[in-house]
Structures are given as structure tokens and as C-alpha cells.
Amino acid sequence: MKTSILAVGTELLFGQTVNTNASFLSDKLNHMGFDVMYHFVVGDNPARLKAKLAEAFSDTDLVIMTGGLGPTQDDLTKEMVAEYMGRDMYRDDIVMDMLAGFFEKRGRKMTENNVKQAYLPEGCTPFYNESGTAPGFALSVDGKTAICLPGPPRELKWLWDHGVRAYLEQFMDKKMFYRVIRTIGIGESDLETVLMPVIDGQTDPTVATYAKEGECTLRVASQRDTIEEAEAAVNEMIKRIDKLVGEYIYSYDDENLNEVVVRILKEKGLTITSAESCTSGLFPAAITDVAGASEVMSSAYITYSNESKINEIGVPAELIDKYGVVSPQVAEAMAAGAKARAGADIAVSVTGYAGPDADPGHEAGEAYIGFAMGDTVGHHDILTSRNDRRWNRNYLLLRMLRAVYLLIR
Amino acid sequence: MKTSILAVGTELLFGQTVNTNASFLSDKLNHMGFDVMYHFVVGDNPARLKAKLAEAFSDTDLVIMTGGLGPTQDDLTKEMVAEYMGRDMYRDDIVMDMLAGFFEKRGRKMTENNVKQAYLPEGCTPFYNESGTAPGFALSVDGKTAICLPGPPRELKWLWDHGVRAYLEQFMDKKMFYRVIRTIGIGESDLETVLMPVIDGQTDPTVATYAKEGECTLRVASQRDTIEEAEAAVNEMIKRIDKLVGEYIYSYDDENLNEVVVRILKEKGLTITSAESCTSGLFPAAITDVAGASEVMSSAYITYSNESKINEIGVPAELIDKYGVVSPQVAEAMAAGAKARAGADIAVSVTGYAGPDADPGHEAGEAYIGFAMGDTVGHHDILTSRNDRRWNRNYLLLRMLRAVYLLIR
């Protein structure tokens, strides 16, 4: 079913609030097989609100509206929808009782503008709101359905779970299933070129690629008569994708790389430490961002200066003198030293130039990632060719995580 | 000037990505005096994209489009805009050179679909992109202006600062000057109450408050005939604000607290180290996020386990036994120990429960921040009463930075 999401709220147009409701609803609706074609945002203005409602209904049959259901004068969504769909308003006794109870509980007096919240369009399906004062509702007229929900995300989510989802199931023709594959080490255009044979002319399942900093995501989605058929089609497509780019895939279920690494470390009962120069804390921060990481990480080292590399994790001074502090040799010595000092099973290290400055003969974006596990010690050469400190640091974090992933997968 | 923001991207309609670009642009545009009337989101579909572009232009004169400028097949924004505004595409030599350089640097071959990125509508104002491969552009035809920008927020922000903002100034009738004041230690509502005498009934300069995690930002803006008048009005207002809340202000120029701390440390020639449990690397990452931080930080310690607190930075085991690892005594011992081990002038530490779990008798959000400078050793008690791991970690980072700021300001 073709669907639009229409958010009402000047705060969105001021940029004070991000429209997370649209993302939440889109995600839920897509999972149910609804075809979300548009998002609209309009301010608290009757004429423009009505115009956009008409636009939305011009080529979609379901319009979900968020916001503008509050008690204040500029909350006009309900009235506009009723007017547009040719319905009068009635006072809903259940809402009245709920409002009375709400204010009594809080020992507050219900004001006139709160009573306004008890009015709904005649013939609508009310969604009674136990998480706030504004009820939601659905109104179907001549094959067009409008659903109005309150703007506060917490109330919107509560109503989704308590009425809206069940109401929408009547419209589900096809069932959708999708999986999100995460890759690292291959760019979006390379990925598409490699996948062209399976993507090209593909209508179902669909395969969409999204580039993120340093990594790339694949979304494989199918709409079929049953969820089982859709799931089978998706998994069949993923098998084909795996044959072509499996080496770059680190998650078939939209996990972040740090979550994948911590999960595998836990599964295998391995502990990890790190020694960082230019990323200075990003790696342990990413590992411990996952709850329960204390099982896998006990300590980590930020060794920004040469002295600290020598004193904290026993990098031989002569190695730094001979090869320079930004070198594969020092990266490996950092990893080996950190592993020994922390008594961990695995250590990963990085030494490099995040930028903007680099020593003579070097450039920002040059870095070496060292790793040590058991008797294995090695390194990865990196040259981002970017003089963007933040980008380089985040990219190096991803590459450190990937270096560990390649060791333990 | 009436403005629409039109985002292109199926990932938005799938709910995979939140439309933060619309919020970013809306905020910037409103502050420049543009009237943002609509947000639209449409998928990578030529017909619908063109229809929404027409809708947007039907009652706004400026349409800023985001996304759909990538190298892949489904990136169609440029072509649609050119077609809608009746312009042919030309191959821009500067973009070609930039692309060639981009791929040469990375030792990668430029594919055909990358060349596509060098084509722009004839007569447009290109915004050359040094933060990615997709250029942006502005195209004005018969009083209607379309601006196309890449979807990745980092690139969009880079182009805003490097071309778009300056381009848009031609549409501003008045000149705008603003400064952003950063505060910490006072809540938004308290701040507004204290500032009421200077905010109330104020039309120019305007004073807007924005609450962020653990801190609060003040934006003082003035629009006058000349930039000098606007600047004078803003600075006059800031004097009045300073009298009322000066003690909470850490920056008058929208610096982040980590930038302020590093700047002061450099000015005073002081070095710093840290010992972290639950924030595990966030502090050194924040310090070294500022270029040139190597002057002020040589090493830092992530001591997640009890053993590492004892072995790495010499926290007395009996202190942990007696008071527990999450205690003011251990926080102070961590700071003193880290300072001694690193030979730094200042050390800051944190031990606490980020959540979701906490030991019996404790709750998530309980933490202690220790600090040591010269002979001074002390701590701050923290209880966020939140069981939100990410929020707690970020808040604790902010409080560590503040603890240092209070020592050195």
C-alpha cells in the first residue's frame, strides 16, 4: 500500500528537532510491506497543512500524520483532517474519562484547552493513549486512510504498539523480509560493479547499497505472499552475494564491527588490549561501548609520545631511531609489547599521522596497524591520502577493528 | 526567502537513516533569515523526484536538495534538476582533475560511474567538494534556485562552510552576525530564568538557548544593515549575559570543551594524563581530537579491571577492598597514580557504572571523577540516575573535561 508520512511541527522546520518519528514509522511500515513513498514536514499552518495532506493523498492511499494533536491553539491536525475528509468532530467520552483521571492523579485541574483533546472526527477508530494526553486515531473515507499520532516519540511508539500496528494489518497484501549486510574494505562503486550481475534488472529481492565512512552497507529486501517466501528469497540472494564479495562482509545482520568483534571474542573466550598513538582511545572506547566488554578487555594503552611507547609497552628505542616512530616495525612492536604487558590473548596497535601535520617525508593519512596473537605478529599498511584528522582517526579505528576481526573470525 | 528542503534517498524512506541533513540545513537557514516552509523526502525515483521538485518550487523559491549525487545508477538528482530547469549537462574539468587526483592518490582506478560525478548542469555555480567525490552546485533559473548537495552529512557540512553559505548571502536583505556561547553546570530552564531580563521582549539581538547532553548553548544573533552594526549589537548583548551567567561560560566562540581545555593547557605549558574505567578511552580521544595535542598529552591509561588499576597505575589493592572499586578514594588514587606514572602535571580519572549493570548496592550512573594537580588531589561525586550506557559515558567525559577546566581556567 502506497504510504506517506506527514509530520506537523514548526520545531522541525527550525531544525530544533530531528524527525526521528518518520524513521521509526518508515522502518516499521517497510517491515509490514507498506511502500513508504514520501516524507513531508509542514509547520503549524492550516492552509499549508491541508495542501500537503491533499498532495500526499494525490498518489498515496495511506497518510500517517505525526504531531499537532496537543492542547494548544496551534495544534490543528485533527481539525484539518476532519475537514479535509468531510467529517464533524465529536467528544469522545472514553478520552474525557482518561483525561479526568490523568489530571486527578496529578492533582492538577483540567483546563478548557485540554478538553479540546477529547474531540475526534466522527467515524474514526480512536487509539487511546495511556502514555500521554493526546489520543491518536485512524479515519478511512473512500479508500483513503489518515492516521493521526502525537508528536512525542515516546507516545507515538506506545500507540504504535497499542493499536496502530494491529489496525494496519488489515491492509497488508504482501509480507516483507529484509536483511542488512555490512562490509568493509570495498568502496560503494566497486561493490556495485562486482555485484552488477546479481543487482542488474533485479526487481525482487532488491539489493541497495549505502556508503558509510570507510564501510559500505547492503540491504537485501523481498516482498512475497508469505514471510517465509520473502525470507527464503532474501537468503538465496545473500548466498549469491556472498560468493562475490564474501571476503568483505563482517555482518549479515546489521551489526556494528565493534559489536561483532566483542561477540566473537566472548564466544572464543579471548581477551584483547590495544596500544594507540594517533587514535588515542578510540579503540578501547569502541570495545567498551558494547555492554559486558569487561569480559574481553582489562586494560589498554594510549602511547602518544615516543617515550610512552618505550616506557609503557617496551618498544625498543633503537627501533624508533632506525625506522621512525610511524613504521610497520614500531606498529608490530607496540602490539607485541601491549600484549605482553597486559597479558592479553590479542593486541592491536596503531601508529600514524592523523593530520593535519606529518613529519618530513610523510603525509597525513599514513599509518600502520600492528597486531599480535599467539606467536603471530603482523601489520597492515594504510594510506588514506586524506588530510582530515577526524576522518582518518575514525577510519583507522575501523581498520583496527577489521584487523582484529580478520584474526578471530 | 521561502525555502524547501528536498532529500533524495530510499534509505530515508526505509527508515534506515534519519534525516539529520534537513535539521542541520533548517537551523542554518533560519539563522540566516530564510523561511524554511517544507521538508520533503523522496526515493531514488526520477518521476517522483521531478514531481516533488515541481511541488517544492510551486510555492518556494529556493529548494535545497540533499543526496542522490553519488556515482551509482540510482543517483539521479543532478540529471533531474538539469532537465527540470531546462539545462544540458557539461563535464567540469576541475571536478575531473579532482577525481583523477582522488583516485591516483589512493592507487585506485577511476571507474566509468565515477566520471559521471564530473557532469554538472550548464550555467550552475559548482561547489567543489574536497571532503568527498561528489560536487555540489547551485542553479538559478527565472528567480528559482536549486542547490544540490551530497547526502553524507560530513560532506554536506563541509560544502556548507566552503561555498554554500557564502552563495546564499546574496539572498539576504540584512547582514547577520552571531556568536555561540557554551556553558556547563547550569540547566536550560535555570539559564532562561536567570537571563529573562535580557531575553524578554528582545527582538534583535535574539538570544536562543539549546540544551545538549550535560551542557547548554546560547546563540546571540543580530541582523542589521551592516555586519559591523550586527557585531556591535551582539557583543553588547554578550556583555550583559556575561554579568548574569559568566561563571558557567567556558567559550564565547562555540568551542568544544575539549578544544578549550587543550588551548589552555598549551597556553600554560601543562601536560595531562588520564586513567579511565567506564569511559575507557573517551577522554584521551577527546583531547587528541584537537590537532597538536601531542604537546599536552604523552600517555593515558585505560584500567578497566581491578588488576589493571593496581598493576598499571599503582592503586593500592586494600583501597579497592576497603571502599570498593567505584569509590571516591579509588578515583583519587587512580588520578594520583596516573599522574605519577606518566610524569604529567595533571591527571583526571573516572571509576563508575555506565550501565546496564551495577554491583549490589550501587546503580547505573553512579561514578566518581578524580583529579590531581601539584599537591592537590580531589574528586567529584556523580549520580546521573540514568541507565543509558552511551549517555552516561558521554556525560562522564564532559564532567572529566569540566573537572580539568575548573583546575586550569
Side-chain angles (χ1 to χ4, degrees):
Chain A
M1 189 175 197
K2 293 181 174 178
T3 305
S4 296
I5 296 169
L6 170 49
V8 184
T10 309
E11 71 280 9
L12 292 160
L13 297 176
F14 278 136
Q16 292 163 339
T17 313
V18 182
N19 192 3
T20 53
N21 287 340
S23 318
F24 172 81
L25 291 170
S26 297
D27 180 55
K28 298 293 187 187
L29 289 162
N30 274 285
H31 278 82
M32 292 176 73
F34 287 84
D35 180 10
V36 179
M37 290 172 67
Y38 307 109
H39 295 175
F40 300 87
V41 179
V42 61
D44 305 307
N45 172 296
R48 290 201 285 273
L49 172 48
K50 234 163 108 179
K52 289 302 148 193
L53 185 57
E55 269 177 33
F57 272 130
S58 70
D59 63 350
T60 58
D61 302 319
L62 172 65
V63 178
I64 301 189
M65 304 177 72
T66 63
L69 298 183
T72 67
Q73 285 193 330
D74 61 358
D75 292 309
L76 300 152
T77 307
K78 273 191 307 200
E79 294 73 6
M80 283 304 117
V81 170
E83 192 180 320
Y84 178 83
M85 299 181 98
R87 296 298 175 95
D88 294 329
M89 304 287 278
Y90 75 101
R91 200 177 84 172
D92 188 285
D93 294 338
I94 297 174
V95 179
M96 274 305 285
D97 293 346
M98 289 175 73
L99 284 170
F102 178 91
F103 284 96
E104 192 183 341
K105 238 184 172 179
R106 287 158 181 71
R108 280 164 48 195
K109 196 179 165 306
M110 179 158 63
T111 60
E112 248 323 296
N113 54 15
N114 286 112
V115 177
K116 173 177 177 293
Q117 300 196 287
Y119 283 83
L120 295 172
E122 282 175 352
C124 76
T125 304
F127 301 125
Y128 296 112
N129 183 358
E130 293 176 20
S131 67
T133 57
F137 65 87
L139 181 58
S140 264
V141 176
D142 305 333
K144 299 284 186 183
T145 301
I147 293 180
C148 294
L149 301 172
R154 194 179 48 80
E155 297 185 32
L156 178 122
K157 286 173 181 157
W158 191 92
L159 283 172
W160 175 266
D161 293 331
H162 299 82
V164 178
R165 194 194 188 293
Y167 176 87
L168 286 173
E169 275 168 2
Q170 67 183 293
F171 300 113
M172 289 173 66
D173 40 4
K174 297 209 165 210
K175 306 273 182 267
M176 176 193 250
F177 181 85
Y178 77 81
R179 285 174 71 180
V180 174
I181 298 177
R182 304 278 292 262
T183 73
I184 185 166
I186 181 169
E188 184 179 18
S189 50
D190 293 345
L191 194 58
E192 279 215 340
T193 311
V194 179
L195 290 179
M196 196 50 74
V198 297
I199 293 180
D200 215 17
Q202 188 68 33
T203 56
D204 186 285
T206 55
V207 180
T209 61
Y210 311 108
K212 277 170 63 184
E213 276 186 17
E215 60 177 306
C216 193
T217 294
L218 279 170
R219 186 177 187 287
V220 185
S222 173
Q223 289 192 44
R224 301 291 172 99
D225 297 333
T226 70
I227 198 76
E228 291 73 18
E229 288 174 52
E231 181 168 0
V234 166
N235 290 335
E236 182 53 39
M237 171 59 76
I238 287 178
K239 277 204 199 103
R240 299 176 59 193
I241 292 170
D242 208 21
K243 284 201 183 68
L244 294 167
V245 294
E247 62 188 303
Y248 302 106
I249 297 173
Y250 65 80
S251 174
Y252 296 89
D253 293 299
D254 201 18
E255 293 169 289
N256 293 316
L257 189 47
N258 59 332
E259 296 165 343
V260 174
V261 164
V262 170
R263 175 170 51 74
I264 300 176
L265 288 171
K266 280 184 181 176
E267 286 165 5
K268 302 195 171 179
L270 294 168
T271 59
I272 190 164
T273 187
S274 60
E276 302 168 276
S277 181
C278 52
T279 57
S280 293
L282 292 181
F283 184 84
I287 291 297
T288 57
D289 192 41
V290 184
S294 51
E295 285 177 43
V296 303
M297 176 173 270
S298 166
S299 61
Y301 309 89
I302 285 86
T303 55
Y304 213 52
S305 67
N306 293 0
E307 296 63 38
S308 61
K309 292 179 181 69
I310 297 163
N311 302 333
E312 302 291 347
I313 50 173
V315 174
E318 52 274 24
L319 217 55
I320 297 175
D321 298 338
K322 188 169 175 193
Y323 300 104
V325 67
V326 175
S327 62
Q329 293 83 357
V330 169
E332 292 189 0
M334 287 171 71
K339 175 168 163 288
R341 166 134 187 110
D345 300 314
I346 301 169
V348 61
S349 71
V350 63
T351 175
Y353 302 102
D357 306 320
D359 293 332
H362 299 275
E363 65 172 296
E366 176 187 351
Y368 301 92
I369 287 171
F371 55 85
M373 180 180 185
D375 303 332
T376 312
V377 178
H379 72 272
H380 300 283
D381 301 342
I382 292 172
L383 185 58
T384 69
S385 305
R386 286 186 191 239
N387 193 344
D388 179 333
R389 186 178 180 84
R390 194 153 300 166
W391 195 96
N392 282 332
R393 279 158 54 94
N394 289 331
Y395 181 73
L396 288 171
L397 166 62
L398 269 178
R399 292 298 303 268
M400 290 174 81
L401 288 166
R402 182 176 181 231
V404 175
Y405 175 71
L406 295 177
L407 285 175
I408 62 178
R409 66 173 172 181
Chain B
M1 190 177 199
K2 292 181 172 177
T3 306
S4 296
I5 296 169
L6 171 49
V8 184
T10 309
E11 68 278 16
L12 291 161
L13 297 177
F14 277 134
Q16 287 184 321
T17 312
V18 182
N19 193 3
T20 53
N21 287 339
S23 319
F24 171 82
L25 291 170
S26 297
D27 179 55
K28 298 291 187 187
L29 289 162
N30 274 286
H31 290 138
M32 288 176 76
F34 287 84
D35 180 12
V36 179
M37 289 172 66
Y38 306 110
H39 295 174
F40 300 88
V41 178
V42 60
D44 305 308
N45 171 296
R48 289 201 285 273
L49 172 48
K50 238 163 105 178
K52 290 301 146 193
L53 185 57
E55 270 177 30
F57 272 131
S58 69
D59 62 349
T60 58
D61 302 320
L62 172 66
V63 178
I64 301 190
M65 304 176 73
T66 63
L69 298 183
T72 67
Q73 282 188 329
D74 61 0
D75 293 309
L76 301 151
T77 307
K78 274 190 305 201
E79 293 74 6
M80 284 305 116
V81 170
E83 192 180 322
Y84 179 81
M85 298 181 101
R87 296 298 175 93
D88 295 329
M89 303 288 279
Y90 76 100
R91 201 176 84 171
D92 188 284
D93 295 338
I94 297 174
V95 179
M96 274 306 285
D97 293 347
M98 289 174 72
L99 285 171
F102 178 91
F103 284 96
E104 193 185 343
K105 254 188 168 176
R106 285 160 182 69
R108 281 166 48 193
K109 199 181 160 305
M110 180 156 61
T111 58
E112 251 320 298
N113 53 16
N114 285 111
V115 177
K116 173 176 176 293
Q117 301 196 286
Y119 283 82
L120 294 173
E122 282 175 352
C124 76
T125 304
F127 301 124
Y128 296 113
N129 184 358
E130 293 176 19
S131 67
T133 56
F137 65 89
L139 182 58
S140 266
V141 177
D142 306 333
K144 299 282 186 184
T145 302
I147 294 181
C148 294
L149 301 172
R154 189 179 49 82
E155 298 185 30
L156 178 122
K157 287 174 180 154
W158 191 92
L159 283 170
W160 175 268
D161 293 331
H162 298 81
V164 178
R165 192 195 188 293
Y167 176 87
L168 287 172
E169 276 170 0
Q170 68 183 289
F171 301 113
M172 293 170 67
D173 43 0
K174 295 206 167 211
K175 296 282 170 262
M176 205 252 311
F177 181 86
Y178 74 86
R179 285 174 71 181
V180 173
I181 298 176
R182 304 279 292 262
T183 73
I184 187 166
I186 181 169
E188 185 177 21
S189 52
D190 292 346
L191 195 58
E192 280 185 339
T193 312
V194 177
L195 291 178
M196 196 49 74
V198 298
I199 293 179
D200 213 18
Q202 190 68 33
T203 57
D204 186 287
T206 55
V207 180
T209 61
Y210 306 106
K212 277 170 60 185
E213 276 185 15
E215 61 176 303
C216 193
T217 292
L218 278 171
R219 188 173 186 291
V220 184
S222 173
Q223 289 194 50
R224 303 289 173 97
D225 296 334
T226 71
I227 198 76
E228 291 72 19
E229 288 174 53
E231 181 169 1
V234 166
N235 291 336
E236 182 53 39
M237 172 59 77
I238 287 179
K239 279 206 200 103
R240 298 176 59 194
I241 292 170
D242 205 24
K243 285 202 182 70
L244 295 168
V245 294
E247 64 189 299
Y248 302 106
I249 297 173
Y250 66 79
S251 174
Y252 295 89
D253 294 298
D254 201 19
E255 290 170 290
N256 294 315
L257 190 47
N258 60 331
E259 296 166 341
V260 174
V261 164
V262 169
R263 175 168 51 74
I264 299 175
L265 288 171
K266 281 184 180 175
E267 287 166 3
K268 301 195 171 180
L270 295 167
T271 60
I272 189 164
T273 188
S274 61
E276 302 168 276
S277 180
C278 52
T279 57
S280 293
L282 292 180
F283 185 84
I287 292 297
T288 57
D289 193 42
V290 184
S294 52
E295 284 178 44
V296 302
M297 177 173 270
S298 166
S299 62
Y301 308 89
I302 285 85
T303 55
Y304 212 54
S305 67
N306 292 359
E307 296 62 37
S308 61
K309 291 179 181 69
I310 296 162
N311 301 334
E312 302 292 347
I313 51 174
V315 173
E318 52 274 23
L319 217 54
I320 297 175
D321 299 337
K322 187 171 176 192
Y323 300 105
V325 67
V326 176
S327 62
Q329 293 82 357
V330 168
E332 292 189 0
M334 288 170 70
K339 176 168 164 288
R341 167 134 186 109
D345 300 316
I346 301 169
V348 62
S349 71
V350 65
T351 175
Y353 303 102
D357 306 321
D359 294 331
H362 299 274
E363 63 174 294
E366 177 186 351
Y368 301 92
I369 286 172
F371 55 84
M373 179 181 186
D375 304 331
T376 312
V377 178
H379 71 273
H380 300 284
D381 300 343
I382 292 172
L383 186 59
T384 67
S385 306
R386 283 187 190 236
N387 192 345
D388 179 333
R389 185 177 181 85
R390 194 153 299 165
W391 195 97
N392 282 331
R393 278 158 55 93
N394 289 331
Y395 181 72
L396 289 171
L397 165 61
L398 213 51
R399 291 297 302 268
M400 289 174 82
L401 288 166
R402 182 174 182 233
V404 176
Y405 176 72
L406 294 176
L407 285 174
I408 63 177
R409 68 173 174 183

